[in-house]
Amino acid sequence: MTRVFLILVAGLMSFVAACAPAPDGNTSAGQVYRIRNADKVQLRMLDSVNALRQAAGTQQVQLNAQLTAAAATHSRDMSVQNRPWHFGSDGSSPLDRVARAGFVGDVIGETISETYESELQTLTAWMEDPSTRAVILDPKAANMGFSWFQEPNGKIWWTLIMGS
């Protein structure tokens, strides 16, 4: 199982390295990484998360509209606050935001990031941290919300929420 995971991560890294910007947000051609085709970004993330979950022996998750709405709200709010953290500018927690969005299941956890990197680079970083890896691979998860907000300067605020 570990071998499958390592092969998957190596493949993702090869793909990302070929098309991703440098850490300062610029590509080798001086271009800022810009999110286009938002539906494809979400599907790439869902497919990647499910491949990692399969390699870990856990069930696949599906995109959930309410969790995605809560993730989108939080990504924009982190940009307004100019800090990556799990509390909203109104003091809300992930549980509060998910309830407001109408999700009725249990919240497994929320992963966030402030970066100039692509969604696959961000997922790779999340998988390297034991706490965010545990959220992504939690066997109780059945639903996923995923969204982002990109500032004009190219900075991206990513939010992924897992729920039962």
Side-chain angles (χ1 to χ4, degrees):
M1 183 170 7
T2 302
R3 185 175 185 186
V4 172
F5 172 73
L6 293 174
I7 291 169
L8 179 62
V9 170
L12 284 173
M13 292 303 293
S14 297
F15 171 77
V16 169
C19 63
D24 66 357
N26 294 318
T27 63
S28 58
Q31 302 280 325
V32 172
Y33 176 77
R34 294 285 176 197
I35 295 175
R36 292 176 175 69
N37 301 354
D39 57 333
K40 292 182 181 174
V41 170
Q42 280 194 319
L43 293 177
R44 268 195 309 270
M45 180 60 91
L46 178 64
D47 289 346
S48 298
V49 165
N50 279 330
L52 293 166
R53 291 177 62 81
Q54 181 179 9
T58 58
Q59 72 176 351
Q60 291 192 346
V61 293
Q62 62 184 357
L63 277 177
N64 177 279
Q66 290 86 15
L67 291 177
T68 296
T73 298
H74 191 54
S75 292
R76 182 176 289 275
D77 191 48
M78 285 189 296
S79 172
V80 169
Q81 297 181 71
N82 195 33
R83 64 179 167 181
W85 73 325
H86 294 284
F87 295 96
S89 56
D90 62 355
S92 62
S93 71
L95 296 174
D96 298 327
R97 290 188 298 276
V98 165
R100 278 187 217 151
F103 184 72
V104 294
D106 293 326
V107 174
I108 304 294
E110 177 183 74
T111 63
I112 58 173
S113 183
E114 166 196 18
T115 184
Y116 289 91
E117 297 176 333
S118 73
E119 70 281 1
L120 297 178
Q121 288 173 300
T122 301
L123 178 59
T124 300
W126 285 338
M127 291 302 289
E128 291 172 356
D129 179 88
S131 63
T132 52
R133 177 185 173 89
V135 169
I136 292 166
L137 297 181
D138 191 301
K140 295 182 298 269
N143 295 286
M144 180 180 94
F146 174 67
S147 195
W148 61 89
F149 178 75
Q150 186 166 35
E151 296 179 355
N153 68 2
K155 184 189 294 185
I156 307 169
W157 301 85
W158 299 103
T159 305
L160 183 144
I161 306 171
M162 298 298 268
S164 65

PDB file of all heavy atoms in Angstrom, residues 25-43:
ATOM      1  N   GLY A  25       5.072  32.471  -7.269  1.00  0.00           N
ATOM      2  CA  GLY A  25       3.864  32.629  -8.059  1.00  0.00           C
ATOM      3  C   GLY A  25       4.126  32.810  -9.533  1.00  0.00           C
ATOM      4  O   GLY A  25       3.197  32.917 -10.316  1.00  0.00           O
ATOM      5  N   ASN A  26       5.367  32.826  -9.934  1.00  0.00           N
ATOM      6  CA  ASN A  26       5.690  33.029 -11.339  1.00  0.00           C
ATOM      7  C   ASN A  26       6.143  31.728 -11.974  1.00  0.00           C
ATOM      8  O   ASN A  26       6.831  30.939 -11.362  1.00  0.00           O
ATOM      9  CB  ASN A  26       6.804  34.064 -11.481  1.00  0.00           C
ATOM     10  CG  ASN A  26       6.338  35.425 -11.032  1.00  0.00           C
ATOM     11  OD1 ASN A  26       5.230  35.832 -11.337  1.00  0.00           O
ATOM     12  ND2 ASN A  26       7.166  36.117 -10.278  1.00  0.00           N
ATOM     13  N   THR A  27       5.763  31.526 -13.220  1.00  0.00           N
ATOM     14  CA  THR A  27       6.265  30.388 -13.961  1.00  0.00           C
ATOM     15  C   THR A  27       7.592  30.786 -14.574  1.00  0.00           C
ATOM     16  O   THR A  27       8.016  31.935 -14.497  1.00  0.00           O
ATOM     17  CB  THR A  27       5.288  29.982 -15.090  1.00  0.00           C
ATOM     18  OG1 THR A  27       5.197  31.059 -16.011  1.00  0.00           O
ATOM     19  CG2 THR A  27       3.916  29.642 -14.547  1.00  0.00           C
ATOM     20  N   SER A  28       8.254  29.850 -15.210  1.00  0.00           N
ATOM     21  CA  SER A  28       9.545  30.169 -15.817  1.00  0.00           C
ATOM     22  C   SER A  28       9.409  31.213 -16.916  1.00  0.00           C
ATOM     23  O   SER A  28      10.349  31.911 -17.237  1.00  0.00           O
ATOM     24  CB  SER A  28      10.196  28.893 -16.360  1.00  0.00           C
ATOM     25  OG  SER A  28       9.336  28.293 -17.310  1.00  0.00           O
ATOM     26  N   ALA A  29       8.219  31.342 -17.475  1.00  0.00           N
ATOM     27  CA  ALA A  29       7.993  32.339 -18.521  1.00  0.00           C
ATOM     28  C   ALA A  29       7.527  33.672 -17.938  1.00  0.00           C
ATOM     29  O   ALA A  29       7.163  34.571 -18.680  1.00  0.00           O
ATOM     30  CB  ALA A  29       6.965  31.820 -19.520  1.00  0.00           C
ATOM     31  N   GLY A  30       7.531  33.805 -16.598  1.00  0.00           N
ATOM     32  CA  GLY A  30       7.113  35.052 -15.969  1.00  0.00           C
ATOM     33  C   GLY A  30       5.615  35.170 -15.802  1.00  0.00           C
ATOM     34  O   GLY A  30       5.117  36.225 -15.456  1.00  0.00           O
ATOM     35  N   GLN A  31       4.875  34.095 -16.013  1.00  0.00           N
ATOM     36  CA  GLN A  31       3.425  34.095 -15.886  1.00  0.00           C
ATOM     37  C   GLN A  31       3.021  33.737 -14.460  1.00  0.00           C
ATOM     38  O   GLN A  31       3.638  32.900 -13.836  1.00  0.00           O
ATOM     39  CB  GLN A  31       2.821  33.056 -16.839  1.00  0.00           C
ATOM     40  CG  GLN A  31       3.163  33.273 -18.298  1.00  0.00           C
ATOM     41  CD  GLN A  31       2.305  34.336 -18.928  1.00  0.00           C
ATOM     42  OE1 GLN A  31       1.146  34.460 -18.599  1.00  0.00           O
ATOM     43  NE2 GLN A  31       2.871  35.103 -19.819  1.00  0.00           N
ATOM     44  N   VAL A  32       1.983  34.378 -13.955  1.00  0.00           N
ATOM     45  CA  VAL A  32       1.416  34.023 -12.661  1.00  0.00           C
ATOM     46  C   VAL A  32       0.462  32.854 -12.884  1.00  0.00           C
ATOM     47  O   VAL A  32      -0.304  32.848 -13.843  1.00  0.00           O
ATOM     48  CB  VAL A  32       0.670  35.224 -12.050  1.00  0.00           C
ATOM     49  CG1 VAL A  32      -0.081  34.835 -10.797  1.00  0.00           C
ATOM     50  CG2 VAL A  32       1.645  36.349 -11.765  1.00  0.00           C
ATOM     51  N   TYR A  33       0.521  31.855 -12.008  1.00  0.00           N
ATOM     52  CA  TYR A  33      -0.403  30.718 -12.096  1.00  0.00           C
ATOM     53  C   TYR A  33      -1.817  31.221 -11.873  1.00  0.00           C
ATOM     54  O   TYR A  33      -2.115  31.818 -10.839  1.00  0.00           O
ATOM     55  CB  TYR A  33      -0.048  29.650 -11.049  1.00  0.00           C
ATOM     56  CG  TYR A  33      -1.016  28.498 -11.010  1.00  0.00           C
ATOM     57  CD1 TYR A  33      -0.972  27.500 -11.978  1.00  0.00           C
ATOM     58  CD2 TYR A  33      -1.994  28.421 -10.032  1.00  0.00           C
ATOM     59  CE1 TYR A  33      -1.871  26.449 -11.955  1.00  0.00           C
ATOM     60  CE2 TYR A  33      -2.895  27.371 -10.007  1.00  0.00           C
ATOM     61  CZ  TYR A  33      -2.830  26.397 -10.964  1.00  0.00           C
ATOM     62  OH  TYR A  33      -3.730  25.357 -10.940  1.00  0.00           O
ATOM     63  N   ARG A  34      -2.664  31.044 -12.838  1.00  0.00           N
ATOM     64  CA  ARG A  34      -4.055  31.488 -12.753  1.00  0.00           C
ATOM     65  C   ARG A  34      -4.974  30.279 -12.867  1.00  0.00           C
ATOM     66  O   ARG A  34      -4.776  29.414 -13.708  1.00  0.00           O
ATOM     67  CB  ARG A  34      -4.401  32.456 -13.888  1.00  0.00           C
ATOM     68  CG  ARG A  34      -3.662  33.752 -13.823  1.00  0.00           C
ATOM     69  CD  ARG A  34      -4.222  34.641 -12.758  1.00  0.00           C
ATOM     70  NE  ARG A  34      -3.413  35.851 -12.668  1.00  0.00           N
ATOM     71  CZ  ARG A  34      -3.438  36.656 -11.643  1.00  0.00           C
ATOM     72  NH1 ARG A  34      -4.216  36.415 -10.622  1.00  0.00           N
ATOM     73  NH2 ARG A  34      -2.681  37.713 -11.615  1.00  0.00           N
ATOM     74  N   ILE A  35      -5.965  30.263 -12.017  1.00  0.00           N
ATOM     75  CA  ILE A  35      -6.948  29.183 -12.068  1.00  0.00           C
ATOM     76  C   ILE A  35      -7.890  29.456 -13.223  1.00  0.00           C
ATOM     77  O   ILE A  35      -8.473  30.528 -13.335  1.00  0.00           O
ATOM     78  CB  ILE A  35      -7.719  29.092 -10.748  1.00  0.00           C
ATOM     79  CG1 ILE A  35      -6.761  28.691  -9.640  1.00  0.00           C
ATOM     80  CG2 ILE A  35      -8.873  28.097 -10.869  1.00  0.00           C
ATOM     81  CD1 ILE A  35      -7.370  28.679  -8.268  1.00  0.00           C
ATOM     82  N   ARG A  36      -8.003  28.478 -14.071  1.00  0.00           N
ATOM     83  CA  ARG A  36      -8.946  28.505 -15.184  1.00  0.00           C
ATOM     84  C   ARG A  36      -9.734  27.206 -15.136  1.00  0.00           C
ATOM     85  O   ARG A  36      -9.291  26.234 -14.556  1.00  0.00           O
ATOM     86  CB  ARG A  36      -8.210  28.633 -16.506  1.00  0.00           C
ATOM     87  CG  ARG A  36      -7.533  29.982 -16.671  1.00  0.00           C
ATOM     88  CD  ARG A  36      -6.721  30.014 -17.962  1.00  0.00           C
ATOM     89  NE  ARG A  36      -6.138  31.306 -18.247  1.00  0.00           N
ATOM     90  CZ  ARG A  36      -5.159  31.874 -17.567  1.00  0.00           C
ATOM     91  NH1 ARG A  36      -4.648  31.275 -16.533  1.00  0.00           N
ATOM     92  NH2 ARG A  36      -4.685  33.052 -17.905  1.00  0.00           N
ATOM     93  N   ASN A  37     -10.878  27.172 -15.763  1.00  0.00           N
ATOM     94  CA  ASN A  37     -11.692  25.956 -15.803  1.00  0.00           C
ATOM     95  C   ASN A  37     -11.900  25.414 -14.391  1.00  0.00           C
ATOM     96  O   ASN A  37     -11.465  24.316 -14.047  1.00  0.00           O
ATOM     97  CB  ASN A  37     -11.054  24.892 -16.689  1.00  0.00           C
ATOM     98  CG  ASN A  37     -10.869  25.373 -18.113  1.00  0.00           C
ATOM     99  OD1 ASN A  37     -11.319  26.464 -18.475  1.00  0.00           O
ATOM    100  ND2 ASN A  37     -10.233  24.577 -18.921  1.00  0.00           N
ATOM    101  N   ALA A  38     -12.577  26.187 -13.576  1.00  0.00           N
ATOM    102  CA  ALA A  38     -12.763  25.847 -12.170  1.00  0.00           C
ATOM    103  C   ALA A  38     -13.340  24.455 -11.976  1.00  0.00           C
ATOM    104  O   ALA A  38     -12.940  23.754 -11.049  1.00  0.00           O
ATOM    105  CB  ALA A  38     -13.667  26.882 -11.504  1.00  0.00           C
ATOM    106  N   ASP A  39     -14.243  24.042 -12.844  1.00  0.00           N
ATOM    107  CA  ASP A  39     -14.823  22.711 -12.693  1.00  0.00           C
ATOM    108  C   ASP A  39     -13.759  21.625 -12.841  1.00  0.00           C
ATOM    109  O   ASP A  39     -13.792  20.608 -12.159  1.00  0.00           O
ATOM    110  CB  ASP A  39     -15.962  22.490 -13.686  1.00  0.00           C
ATOM    111  CG  ASP A  39     -15.540  22.680 -15.135  1.00  0.00           C
ATOM    112  OD1 ASP A  39     -14.590  23.449 -15.394  1.00  0.00           O
ATOM    113  OD2 ASP A  39     -16.171  22.074 -16.019  1.00  0.00           O
ATOM    114  N   LYS A  40     -12.776  21.851 -13.690  1.00  0.00           N
ATOM    115  CA  LYS A  40     -11.707  20.864 -13.848  1.00  0.00           C
ATOM    116  C   LYS A  40     -10.774  20.847 -12.641  1.00  0.00           C
ATOM    117  O   LYS A  40     -10.264  19.798 -12.272  1.00  0.00           O
ATOM    118  CB  LYS A  40     -10.934  21.123 -15.136  1.00  0.00           C
ATOM    119  CG  LYS A  40     -11.769  20.841 -16.368  1.00  0.00           C
ATOM    120  CD  LYS A  40     -11.005  21.056 -17.635  1.00  0.00           C
ATOM    121  CE  LYS A  40     -11.940  20.772 -18.813  1.00  0.00           C
ATOM    122  NZ  LYS A  40     -11.350  21.087 -20.084  1.00  0.00           N
ATOM    123  N   VAL A  41     -10.561  22.001 -12.023  1.00  0.00           N
ATOM    124  CA  VAL A  41      -9.732  22.058 -10.815  1.00  0.00           C
ATOM    125  C   VAL A  41     -10.398  21.222  -9.727  1.00  0.00           C
ATOM    126  O   VAL A  41      -9.739  20.410  -9.064  1.00  0.00           O
ATOM    127  CB  VAL A  41      -9.523  23.515 -10.352  1.00  0.00           C
ATOM    128  CG1 VAL A  41      -8.878  23.569  -8.975  1.00  0.00           C
ATOM    129  CG2 VAL A  41      -8.683  24.276 -11.364  1.00  0.00           C
ATOM    130  N   GLN A  42     -11.693  21.391  -9.539  1.00  0.00           N
ATOM    131  CA  GLN A  42     -12.398  20.619  -8.517  1.00  0.00           C
ATOM    132  C   GLN A  42     -12.360  19.127  -8.818  1.00  0.00           C
ATOM    133  O   GLN A  42     -12.130  18.314  -7.923  1.00  0.00           O
ATOM    134  CB  GLN A  42     -13.845  21.072  -8.389  1.00  0.00           C
ATOM    135  CG  GLN A  42     -13.976  22.323  -7.569  1.00  0.00           C
ATOM    136  CD  GLN A  42     -15.391  22.586  -7.156  1.00  0.00           C
ATOM    137  OE1 GLN A  42     -16.316  22.399  -7.935  1.00  0.00           O
ATOM    138  NE2 GLN A  42     -15.565  23.033  -5.936  1.00  0.00           N
ATOM    139  N   LEU A  43     -12.557  18.760 -10.072  1.00  0.00           N
ATOM    140  CA  LEU A  43     -12.542  17.339 -10.427  1.00  0.00           C
ATOM    141  C   LEU A  43     -11.149  16.733 -10.302  1.00  0.00           C
ATOM    142  O   LEU A  43     -11.008  15.586  -9.877  1.00  0.00           O
ATOM    143  CB  LEU A  43     -13.109  17.128 -11.832  1.00  0.00           C
ATOM    144  CG  LEU A  43     -14.602  17.448 -11.970  1.00  0.00           C
ATOM    145  CD1 LEU A  43     -15.059  17.280 -13.408  1.00  0.00           C
ATOM    146  CD2 LEU A  43     -15.444  16.607 -11.013  1.00  0.00           C
TER     147      LEU A  43
END
